Amino acid sequence: MNLGVIGCGKMGSALIGGALRAKLIATQQVWGFDTIAAAVDQFCQTTGAQACSSLKDLADHCDTFVLATKPHQVRGVLKELGHSLAGKPALLISVAAGIRLSALEDALPENVRVIRTMPNTPALVGKGATAYSLGTRALPTDADTAAALFSSVGLALSTPETLLDAVTGLSGSGPAYGFIIIEALADAGVRQGLPRADALQLAAQTMLGAATMVQETGLHPGVLKDMVASPGGTTIAGIAALEQNGLRHALIEAVAAATLRSQELSTL
Ligand SMILES: NC(=O)c1ccc[n+]([C@@H]2O[C@H](COP(=O)([O-])OP(=O)(O)OC[C@H]3O[C@@H](n4cnc5c(N)ncnc54)[C@H](O)[C@@H]3O)[C@@H](O)[C@H]2O)c1
């Protein structure tokens, strides 16, 4: 596999960094192109990849592509890339939010297989959560490629495209919910007299610890919650206050609102 990155920004760089660290690919197999020369220079310096001077140059060197421009830039890229890939078997993996598989397939020649993904920001620190959907022309080995690539920066799950808006509402938008919860817990600690820096560290580590326990024990979060809520104790008093103030309902509504917005924004 020779991997070409179209758009050497945050997500393109994070993915290649992960793939290199996981030894999925070697630096000699990675090529990058960006319309901003400084972006591709930076990308090549940090990853060791080779720079391409145009999309055509990238298409000549690679058989697998990560499309990581902003969604509104995708249409122009596909048009140009399609010409360069005519007749050449290739796989294109898009991370662009809201760009449907049908739009990607319609804009590219038959010989280009397509995968659409929805990663999230923690991919930048190797703790991402990504869902990916296969296009109609994709092969089982393409699914393996996507799973390996996104597993190198966190969790990777296969899902039907019809569920990608819900994924956007949950894991795509979820880091912001997590940041707010951590900030609010830190504020709460400060209100109870803790120094700000200590409160923030305690809040973030507590959320990280809770998430890790869910993943590592495989226990339902309700069971883990029951295990730490002793009769008449402090935790159940806190839980009662959370329920009274609707945290659970607020999160359900947040995911619903973000899913709806994702449906509205899905273009093409
Ligand atoms: N950053 C995230 O956490 C995140 C999460 C989920 C999805 N995404 C998706 O990833 C994509 C990239 O986001 P990002 O945050 O990395 O953006 P970014 O702005 O950091 O990177 C985009 C890069 O694309 C380049 N570019 C623009 N037009 C181009 C063209 N015609 N050819 C080649 N390069 C071109 C830009 O110069 C820029 O360097 C978006 O479509 C976004 O929806 C990002």
Side-chain angles (χ1 to χ4, degrees), residues 28 58 104-105 135 242:
Q28 309 92 278
L58 194 77
L104 297 167
E105 289 186 336
L242 280 182

Side-chain angles (χ1 to χ4, degrees), residues 7 9-11 33-36 68-71 73 77 95-97 119 121:
K10 289 184 284 296
M11 192 48 78
F33 170 67
D34 198 294
T35 41
I36 297 176
T69 65
K70 292 289 188 194
Q73 296 154 337
V77 169
V95 300
T121 312

Side-chain angles (χ1 to χ4, degrees), residues 5-14 33-37 39-40 55 67-74 76-78 80 94-99 117-124 172:
V5 179
I6 307 168
C8 303
K10 289 184 284 296
M11 192 48 78
S13 302
F33 170 67
D34 198 294
T35 41
I36 297 176
V40 79
L55 270 178
L67 175 56
T69 65
K70 292 289 188 194
H72 71 274
Q73 296 154 337
V74 164
V77 169
L78 293 179
E80 206 182 325
S94 168
V95 300
I99 309 289
T117 70
M118 184 63 216
N120 67 4
T121 312
L124 308 183

Side-chain angles (χ1 to χ4, degrees), residues 224-246:
L224 289 166
K225 179 262 295 170
D226 286 355
M227 283 162 57
V228 291
S230 17
T234 57
T235 304
I236 196 67
I239 290 169
L242 280 182
E243 295 294 356
Q244 195 176 13
N245 288 285

Side-chain angles (χ1 to χ4, degrees), residues 36 47 52 66 69 94 105 114 132 152 156 177 180 188-189 192 209 220 223-224 235 238 244 246 249 256 264:
I36 297 176
T47 62
C52 284
V66 172
T69 65
S94 168
E105 289 186 336
V114 165
Y132 61 90
S152 75
Y177 314 154
I180 290 171
Q192 300 306 322
H220 188 281
V223 171
L224 289 166
T235 304
Q244 195 176 13
H249 181 68
E264 289 168 359

Side-chain angles (χ1 to χ4, degrees), residues 14 43 125:
F43 172 77
V125 293

Side-chain angles (χ1 to χ4, degrees), residues 78 82 85 89-92 101-115 133-143:
L78 293 179
L85 287 176
L91 170 66
L92 179 122
L101 282 168
S102 58
L104 297 167
E105 289 186 336
D106 289 352
L108 290 165
E110 281 283 319
N111 49 286
V112 182
R113 290 119 46 212
V114 165
I115 294 179
S133 305
L134 304 187
T136 57
R137 305 192 283 251
L139 305 169
T141 48
D142 296 333

